[in-house]
Amino acid sequence: MPDIIQLLPDSVANQIAAGEVVQRPASAVKELMENALDAGSTSIKLIVKDAGKTLIQVIDNGCGMSETDARMSFERHATSKIRKADDLFMIRTMGFRGEALASIAAIAQVEMRTKRVGDDVGVNIDIEGSEIKKQEACFCPEGTSFSIKNLFYNVPARRNFLKSDSVELRHIIEEFERVAIPNPSIAFSFHHNTTEIFHLERGTLKQRLVAIFGKSYDTRLIPVEENTGIVKIKGFVIKPEFAKKTRGEQFFFLNKRFIKNSYLHHAVQSAFSELLAKESFASYFLMLEVDPKTIDVNIHPTKTEVKFEDEKAIYAFLRSAVKKSLGQFNITPSIDFDQEAYLFNIPIKPADGIIRQPQITVDPNFNPFKVEYTPKEKPTEREIFNRNNWEKMYNATTHLEFQQQVQKEDTQEIKPEQQTINSTWDNDVNESASKLSYQLHNKYILSNIKNGLMVIDQQGAHERVLYEQLLEKIENHKSSTQQELFPKTIELNANDFEMVKELQHELESIGFDIRELGKSTFVIHGVPADTVNFDSVQLLEGLLENYKQNLQELKTNKQENLARSMARNMAVKSGKSLTQEEMNNLVDELFACEMPYHTPLGKPTISIISLDELNERFDKH
Ligand code: ADP
Ligand code: MG
């Protein structure tokens, strides 16, 4: 038998390596921008076409390369940043593996133009699928420009795997922000097709954050600073009242490199502890600086995971630094008589200066169990349907029985006349008694059913009702819009702005009328007709929040996600007191739903405590 093992040709080896380094256009953006940083640039321009699928260009004014270096830079493991294994423990540059350019050149058509400071001419190299196509002298500005065209042109499986332009663009924006935030002394710009998404002047970290996330951040940021022998911490946290439900704005930079670290996240989150509402996340932009000897950035090619030598100490310093800042800014609850008065919520003294006992008036005739019941002349179709379902529920012993009954009847054809006869809207006393509901802790609706007690979660039930109604409206184009008398504007960060642009059509289908104004603002001209009592900006912000959260957790289409998020935001919340009529309507509407038993997120809406169960508890058999 002949020997069969051979070394792979470089182009194949590079293509395999590329799979690890370049997963999508955003990875190429990251690598090129990091190279521009390492080259000592003070200005970096990013130009992207079709979310990076057609073109990614990075132009810097850094040190540039000689002709030989330019050629070498595309070789695998070719780097100017380390020379020996020991250097791995002194890394101050973003790159060091010497893999990025070789990988990118293996899977795209690359054009490089570079000139060193002081050289008369530069060099232009075109390389495609690891093969040099052109190398010649050229006139170009000092610094380097890389154009990456048709990424994955020779790896169709990868190319087909790419997501929609808006998704890929969001990934690019994310990488851009991760490079731009920790380098406020460098000017950046970012063009996508014909729009300039970012134009960032040189300035302070705070100015950079405001330029990226919007003017409102100016008053939301609390500075954090701490210098210890082990770690230097500098940056900002966001005031707790602006905490979000999605884990959107959590940025740690270690020696200016963006990192993910759940242990350190926990340190910050726990410093906020009781200041945050339930299920909210602290937002922060924190730069940590440590001696490169004490970390290992070499564990993953994308380098967002880092191993620390002294993680516990860093945790403790970080936590206390954030706590101190929150405290200094009068935010942590503490017994401090210098606190501003509003924190204590002191009631205002009456005009005559006399403080009296509070008076409570009680209506002795009030009977919480009495229902005002107005008979209607003719029930609507929906009422008939609701009422039928209500009866089935009332008579059913278990969920299963109810469901089976509904299913059985769904398959039988019920003639409309018969349906009306079965459920004439009479004013039967027992019937109205059975429809009596009681609200428990402003959270649950308790209702009598034949075999026990039905407990309904008011918020979950309402979410279900709204969700199905919204979906129906979207599908049948039945939404109506209430035009705003005074249109409001909503300012968004680049990522959210892209998301709203992507969702504009769907938002219109549920009744929003929003129009773009400039680079980061939308004007809300109209809102869904049934949301006129909501603050339109808050509603849209809440909607986006939920939408993003769902994106991370669920695999649904846009319309469904939007209906879910909208239902979530519009639903009556736990803690809201409901009138008898409101409760009855809600229960009726819930049973008119296709899937009354679960919230759109799959949590139960109804629970039944059977008479048997109660009898057992009271020892009555
Ligand atoms: P690494 O960054 O890990 O060294 P790369 O493949 O990204 O590996 O780049 C290889 C080499 O090419 C770098 O070490 C650097 O010397 C040179 N290089 C890449 N991009 C630039 C640039 N924008 N300006 C100057 N030199 C660059
Ligand atoms: Mg590099």
Side-chain angles (χ1 to χ4, degrees):
M1 271 258 285
D3 297 330
I4 51 172
I5 298 180
Q6 288 182 6
L7 275 178
L8 285 174
D10 268 358
S11 58
V12 179
N14 284 341
Q15 226 187 68
I16 294 170
E20 224 189 324
V21 183
V22 187
Q23 279 111 27
R24 52 181 4 135
S27 343
V29 167
K30 172 185 188 300
E31 294 298 338
L32 293 178
M33 288 186 62
E34 289 190 348
N35 280 348
L37 286 181
D38 288 342
S41 315
T42 55
S43 162
I44 299 175
K45 296 192 177 92
L46 170 65
I47 298 165
V48 167
K49 293 225 159 73
D50 304 322
K53 293 171 186 170
T54 316
L55 173 77
I56 298 165
Q57 187 176 12
V58 174
I59 307 166
D60 70 44
N61 64 351
C63 62
M65 281 176 267
S66 70
E67 193 176 348
T68 321
D69 282 353
R71 180 77 185 241
M72 265 302 271
S73 69
F74 290 108
E75 295 295 325
R76 200 137 62 99
H77 307 308
T79 179
S80 55
K81 300 171 192 174
I82 57 172
R83 302 234 174 273
K84 50 189 190 304
D86 280 355
D87 295 348
L88 274 174
F89 302 100
M90 289 188 248
I91 287 166
R92 290 252 170 227
T93 50
M94 304 300 288
F96 58 85
R97 289 170 170 260
E99 280 180 327
L101 292 183
S103 302
I104 293 171
I107 46 145
Q109 294 149 353
V110 180
E111 186 189 317
M112 173 219 259
R113 283 163 179 272
T114 185
K115 192 174 87 165
R116 281 185 304 188
V117 182
D119 282 359
D120 290 334
V121 282
V123 57
N124 162 211
I125 295 178
D126 288 359
I127 178 167
E128 184 178 320
S130 299
E131 215 177 288
I132 303 267
K133 296 281 173 189
K134 182 165 108 186
Q135 177 170 346
E136 60 184 29
C138 75
F139 289 101
C140 59
E142 284 166 355
T144 307
S145 157
F146 276 101
S147 299
I148 313 296
K149 293 177 194 154
N150 303 320
L151 195 69
F152 301 127
Y153 79 102
N154 54 353
V155 199
R158 261 294 155 96
R159 199 167 167 92
N160 296 337
F161 178 74
L162 292 178
K163 299 271 171 39
S164 69
D165 279 9
S166 58
V167 172
E168 294 301 340
L169 181 62
R170 283 215 301 278
H171 283 286
I172 295 178
I173 292 174
E174 194 174 79
E175 291 297 350
F176 177 88
E177 288 175 352
R178 290 173 179 181
V179 173
I181 294 171
N183 293 293
S185 57
I186 299 173
F188 288 90
S189 68
F190 176 3
H191 285 83
H192 179 242
N193 296 336
T194 52
T195 33
E196 185 176 50
I197 299 187
F198 288 107
H199 182 90
L200 308 174
E201 311 272 359
R202 294 179 194 114
T204 62
L205 175 60
K206 185 166 184 180
Q207 287 165 334
R208 174 66 37 108
L209 292 173
V210 170
I212 293 179
F213 295 100
K215 281 195 268 325
S216 59
Y217 275 58
D218 203 17
T219 52
R220 293 184 186 187
L221 298 167
I222 301 174
V224 178
E225 189 156 7
E226 190 72 76
N227 284 335
T228 74
I230 295 179
V231 58
K232 276 191 195 156
I233 302 166
K234 208 173 151 120
F236 294 90
V237 292
I238 297 259
K239 289 182 181 165
E241 62 261 40
F242 300 106
K244 296 197 170 169
K245 291 249 164 17
T246 45
R247 311 185 55 150
E249 277 140 25
Q250 276 118 25
F251 291 88
F252 279 127
F253 300 97
L254 180 65
N255 298 352
K256 293 204 176 170
R257 186 194 301 282
F258 172 83
I259 57 158
K260 287 184 185 157
N261 190 308
S262 52
Y263 184 62
L264 296 186
H265 168 73
H266 188 266
V268 179
Q269 183 80 12
S270 76
F272 273 77
S273 60
E274 67 265 44
L275 297 171
L276 289 177
K278 231 175 91 198
E279 292 169 15
S280 303
F281 293 96
S283 290
Y284 49 83
F285 310 89
L286 293 167
M287 322 256 266
L288 312 178
E289 224 184 287
V290 300
D291 184 340
K293 275 199 219 83
T294 65
I295 51 170
D296 181 2
V297 283
N298 199 15
I299 42 184
H300 195 268
T302 57
K303 310 179 200 90
T304 54
E305 279 142 53
V306 179
K307 268 212 298 246
F308 291 91
E309 203 174 88
D310 211 347
E311 213 168 32
K312 278 205 180 114
I314 294 179
Y315 180 102
F317 287 134
L318 189 60
R319 186 167 183 272
S320 86
V322 173
K323 253 194 135 107
K324 194 172 92 188
S325 291
L326 291 172
Q328 271 173 357
F329 281 79
N330 262 345
I331 291 164
T332 14
S334 59
I335 302 173
D336 179 352
F337 295 103
D338 293 334
Q339 291 252 20
E340 287 167 59
Y342 70 84
L343 283 178
F344 287 109
N345 204 6
I346 299 168
I348 300 160
K349 222 174 171 184
D352 59 9
I354 306 163
I355 298 166
R356 300 176 187 83
Q357 282 251 322
Q359 301 268 308
I360 300 164
T361 30
V362 180
D363 173 7
N365 298 320
F366 176 71
N367 174 0
F369 299 104
K370 188 168 153 251
V371 198
E372 296 292 332
Y373 195 78
T374 0
K376 291 194 180 169
E377 281 173 9
K378 198 165 180 273
T380 62
E381 250 177 73
R382 185 163 194 113
E383 280 165 342
I384 295 168
F385 180 71
N386 290 345
R387 202 176 119 102
N388 278 343
N389 265 348
W390 175 270
E391 276 166 13
K392 275 175 245 157
M393 186 68 218
Y394 180 77
N395 290 318
T397 336
T398 61
H399 286 183
L400 194 68
E401 199 180 305
F402 172 71
Q403 242 163 346
Q404 281 166 346
Q405 214 176 336
V406 174
Q407 269 162 12
K408 202 170 79 201
E409 286 181 18
D410 274 353
T411 50
Q412 290 167 3
E413 253 206 76
I414 305 176
K415 292 193 194 102
E417 319 87 85
Q418 189 193 339
Q419 202 176 22
T420 326
I421 296 161
N422 281 347
S423 47
T424 324
W425 201 248
D426 63 342
N427 198 2
D428 179 291
V429 181
N430 286 336
E431 180 58 32
S432 67
S434 77
K435 284 194 83 164
L436 194 70
S437 299
Y438 175 79
Q439 197 185 16
L440 183 70
H441 289 281
N442 289 344
K443 195 171 181 188
Y444 295 108
I445 299 170
L446 308 185
S447 282
N448 212 351
I449 54 168
K450 198 172 187 177
N451 280 293
L453 175 70
M454 175 168 66
V455 185
I456 295 177
D457 167 31
Q458 67 185 44
Q459 184 172 342
H462 199 204
E463 269 176 39
R464 162 56 64 186
V465 169
L466 290 169
Y467 170 69
E468 292 199 5
Q469 289 174 355
L470 281 160
L471 266 188
E472 193 192 316
K473 280 185 194 163
I474 295 176
E475 275 159 22
N476 302 321
H477 308 286
K478 279 203 313 213
S479 301
S480 47
T481 301
Q482 170 82 36
Q483 290 301 324
E484 295 262 83
L485 213 50
F486 304 104
K488 288 193 182 150
T489 54
I490 175 167
E491 203 195 336
L492 299 162
N493 67 37
N495 243 329
D496 289 355
F497 186 74
E498 283 307 316
M499 186 177 284
V500 173
K501 263 179 28 185
E502 183 197 338
L503 286 175
Q504 188 153 5
H505 180 69
E506 283 76 16
L507 285 166
E508 276 160 14
S509 73
I510 57 171
F512 279 101
D513 174 4
I514 53 168
R515 294 172 219 167
E516 253 180 87
L517 178 78
K519 282 193 301 193
S520 60
T521 309
F522 272 96
V523 183
I524 308 174
H525 286 277
V527 294
D530 37 7
T531 66
V532 280
N533 294 329
F534 289 80
D535 176 308
S536 55
V537 174
Q538 271 177 19
L539 183 69
L540 198 57
E541 273 175 357
L543 184 64
L544 290 178
E545 260 307 280
N546 274 112
Y547 187 86
K548 281 190 280 185
Q549 202 173 1
N550 290 345
L551 274 186
Q552 288 167 6
E553 290 162 14
L554 309 163
K555 287 218 177 331
T556 51
N557 64 33
K558 281 193 220 168
Q559 294 182 343
E560 214 177 273
N561 186 349
L562 208 58
R564 259 177 232 268
S565 312
M566 191 72 181
R568 178 96 211 199
N569 277 279
M570 285 171 64
V572 46
K573 301 289 176 293
S574 293
K576 167 103 168 57
S577 138
L578 300 178
T579 64
Q580 187 65 236
E581 194 187 348
E582 284 169 335
M583 285 191 271
N584 283 355
N585 281 344
L586 179 55
V587 177
D588 280 349
E589 287 191 318
L590 179 65
F591 288 114
C593 285
E594 265 176 57
M595 304 263 286
Y597 298 104
H598 291 101
T599 69
L601 283 174
K603 295 197 178 136
T605 50
I606 301 169
S607 175
I608 287 179
I609 303 172
S610 69
L611 271 181
D612 288 347
E613 223 176 307
L614 285 170
N615 286 340
E616 207 161 299
R617 287 185 192 203
F618 290 101
D619 228 352
K620 289 183 188 166
H621 293 285

